[in-house]
Amino acid sequence: MARMFDIAPLDATFGAVVTGVKVTRIDDATWRDLHAAWLEYALLIFPGQFLSRAEQIAFAKRFGPLEFEMAPISNVKADGTIRIEADNDDVVKVLKGNMGWHADSTYMPVQAKGAVFSAEVVPGEGGRTGWADMRAAYDALDAARRVRVESLTAYHSLYYSQAKLGHQPKRGSDYSGYGFHDGPVPRRPLVKVHPETGRKSLLIGRHAHNIPGMDVAESTQFLESLVDFACQPPRIYHHQWTAGDAVVWDNRCLLHRATPWDMTKPRVMWHSRIAGDPVSEASLG
Ligand code: OGA
Ligand code: MN
């Protein structure tokens, strides 16, 4: 049977724009096609969905249990005023942290499976979201590097990544503190095998540090060089948001980041985080 939606691949190694479907009204056959497209493209973009809170959560739950239902990613405070960038409070530091390439919740015991992410208020320019295809990056490595990364692991920590922005979490700040935990620092392989497709991808990004067997400087340099190599065309795509857009990405094989915008302008995004499978997304210990 024909697909019940239109799908247009992006000009990149991954990603597609899906139109002709309202994601809140998807029957089981359409869902199977959409899920298969998600595994293939890793990023699906749905323009003009204007999801309510309940609709976004319900759509996200089709992909699996949620790590959290819906968090604002926003420079607008609860009282409606815009956060002052120069105050550099913990929320501003988290928003700036998001501007480095990363995968979500790799610093948690179980990394995220993915996210449904939508735009409510967007600045006229900037404030894009970029994604990078770590399957294609792995495939593009030369043979020697591919062999090398295969045996390596790294630690992942939000303390590590946010410390670079001068963020030492404080009690009583507007940031919830999510991700700053006292448990063991997760260690993860640099090459992740996708639990549903079997494809290998590079698991790197700003939370990764301290590769066992390397000194700190060598590890930092090695990880930075991998991100620099990996996050290049044709493996990247940056989305200029229009209010009402929704996307779903696969956090098991993509990195993502925000791009800067004029922070005197409001940007209100909503993030529903799909939980990873404790079998395949747990840390090594
Ligand atoms: C996130 C994130 C990027 C953005 O919500 O996890 O990294 O563009 N967001 O806001
Ligand atoms: Mn993120």
Side-chain angles (χ1 to χ4, degrees), residues 98 102 104 249 256 271 273:
N98 280 345
H102 64 282
D104 286 335
W249 76 78
H256 63 278
H271 183 133
R273 188 163 295 178

Side-chain angles (χ1 to χ4, degrees), residues 65-69 104-105 107 112 114-116 178 271-275:
L66 302 185
E67 185 177 329
F68 54 76
E69 287 194 336
D104 286 335
S105 293
Y107 45 76
V116 173
Y178 190 79
H271 183 133
S272 303
R273 188 163 295 178
I274 306 156

Side-chain angles (χ1 to χ4, degrees), residues 1-69:
M1 211 177 76
R3 266 181 174 152
M4 298 306 286
F5 50 86
D6 295 312
I7 185 156
L10 299 174
D11 184 18
T13 57
F14 72 109
V17 178
V18 177
T19 52
V21 66
K22 174 82 179 159
V23 299
T24 53
R25 287 190 234 107
I26 290 178
D27 62 23
D28 289 346
T30 306
W31 166 252
R32 280 192 292 275
D33 286 350
L34 198 71
H35 189 257
W38 182 60
L39 292 177
E40 179 181 348
Y41 291 103
L43 168 70
L44 299 179
I45 299 171
F46 303 90
Q49 292 286 329
F50 295 96
L51 301 178
S52 70
R53 182 185 176 88
E55 287 172 338
Q56 174 158 334
I57 292 168
F59 179 53
K61 281 185 175 165
R62 294 196 84 152
F63 293 85
L66 302 185
E67 185 177 329
F68 54 76
E69 287 194 336

Side-chain angles (χ1 to χ4, degrees), residues 73 95 98-100 102 104 115 117 127-130 241 249 256-259 261 267 269 271 273:
I73 307 293
L95 293 174
N98 280 345
M99 294 175 189
H102 64 282
D104 286 335
F117 195 57
R128 295 178 301 162
T129 304
W241 294 96
W249 76 78
H256 63 278
R257 68 170 178 189
T259 69
W261 76 96
R267 180 179 190 263
M269 311 292 293
H271 183 133
R273 188 163 295 178

